[in-house]
């Protein structure tokens, strides 16, 4: 009895690690491209969908509300995981042995990977810069606002805390990319078969 078609890419015979990682990156990126519009559509129609669920009663309401909540929870997580996995496999493919060099695609993958890896730190640094230029910082939970002119100590403590978190998030990303940049096994073709 033949094996059913696998849901994930399988390694081909004599395929290089980099080629296999690049195929996996393409596969997961296609999954991301499919999940993203569904996620955006679900959230754009969330109010309308909920207005149809609200009039229901009893078990019908419980089942519809639970299914609606699960869908709203699963699709964003799936979308983010697909994006991160596609980036991970793509970056790994750049630094693993491959049969063909793709310098333009490699630059795009590395640039995208670095942007995603450092995005949380960059967002926090941008928030700090915006708060310094505005002279105030507002937190939603708990609801507080620190103004530089009236409460400078709390304002600068908030800035320091945000910068510490930004550095803590940037350090693992920096370690990852430092290891990649010092690697020497890039684009090495597979060994020729023995004759």
């Amino acid at each position: 009895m033949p094996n059913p078609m696998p849901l994930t890419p399988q390694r081909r015979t004599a395929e290089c690690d980099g080629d296999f990682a690049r195929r996996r990156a393409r596969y997961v990126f296609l999954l991301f491209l499919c999940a993203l519009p569904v996620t955006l559509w679900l959230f754009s129609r969330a109010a309308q969908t909920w207005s149809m669920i609200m009039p229901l009663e009893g078990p019908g309401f419980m089942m519809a509300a639970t299914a609606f909540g699960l869908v709203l929870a699963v699709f964003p997580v799936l979308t983010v995981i697909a994006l991160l996995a596609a980036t991970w496999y793509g970056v790994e493919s750049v630094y693993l042995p491959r049969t063909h060099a793709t310098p333009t695609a490699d630059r795009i993958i590395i640039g995208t990977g670095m942007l995603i890896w450092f995005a949380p730190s960059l967002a926090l640094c941008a928030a700090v810069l915006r708060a310094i230029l505005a002279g105030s910082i507002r937190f939603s939970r708990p609801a507080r606002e620190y103004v530089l002119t009236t409460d400078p100590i709390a304002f600068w403590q908030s800035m320091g805390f945000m910068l510490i978190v930004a550095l803590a998030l940037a350090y693992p990303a920096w370690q990852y990319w430092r290891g990649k940049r010092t690697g020497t096994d890039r684009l090495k073709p597979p060994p020729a078969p023995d004759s």
Side-chain angles (χ1 to χ4, degrees):
M1 184 160 135
N3 290 332
M5 182 182 222
L7 295 175
T8 59
Q10 302 298 308
R11 186 182 289 275
R12 295 171 181 159
T13 306
E15 184 176 30
C16 293
D17 291 340
D19 294 335
F20 180 51
R22 185 67 59 93
R23 276 197 314 112
R24 290 174 93 174
R26 281 194 294 265
Y27 176 84
V28 180
F29 187 68
L30 285 174
L31 179 62
F32 165 74
L33 290 179
C34 292
L36 180 62
V38 173
T39 302
L40 295 175
W41 182 82
L42 283 170
F43 276 89
S44 69
R45 302 204 26 106
Q48 294 172 348
T49 306
W50 184 247
S51 67
M52 291 189 293
I53 295 172
M54 281 293 289
L56 301 175
E57 295 179 0
F61 173 78
M62 289 300 295
M63 289 174 54
T66 302
F68 181 61
L70 283 173
V71 167
L72 286 182
V74 167
F75 271 92
V77 172
L78 177 66
T79 303
V80 170
I81 289 174
L83 175 63
L84 294 176
T87 306
W88 175 270
Y89 288 130
V91 169
E92 290 298 309
S93 75
V94 172
Y95 296 99
L96 289 172
R98 285 180 287 134
T99 53
H100 302 290
T102 54
T104 303
D106 291 351
R107 287 189 197 96
I108 293 170
I109 290 169
I110 290 171
T112 304
M114 291 185 83
L115 180 64
I116 290 174
W117 257 253
F118 286 100
S121 296
L122 293 172
L124 282 171
C125 290
V128 167
L129 181 61
R130 186 170 49 248
I132 291 172
L133 293 175
S136 67
I137 181 76
R138 177 175 295 162
F139 297 100
S140 57
R141 288 187 184 144
R144 291 190 180 154
E145 182 175 9
Y146 300 119
V147 181
L148 178 59
T149 55
T150 59
D151 198 356
I153 293 175
F155 176 83
W156 288 115
Q157 283 178 340
S158 301
M159 297 300 100
F161 174 75
M162 290 173 70
L163 288 174
I164 289 169
V165 173
L167 286 172
L169 292 172
Y171 182 74
W174 176 73
Q175 287 287 359
Y176 174 79
W177 284 102
R178 187 179 70 154
K180 292 294 180 194
R181 300 308 294 173
T182 57
T184 57
D185 202 22
R186 282 189 75 191
L187 300 176
K188 187 173 70 179
D194 295 331
S195 52

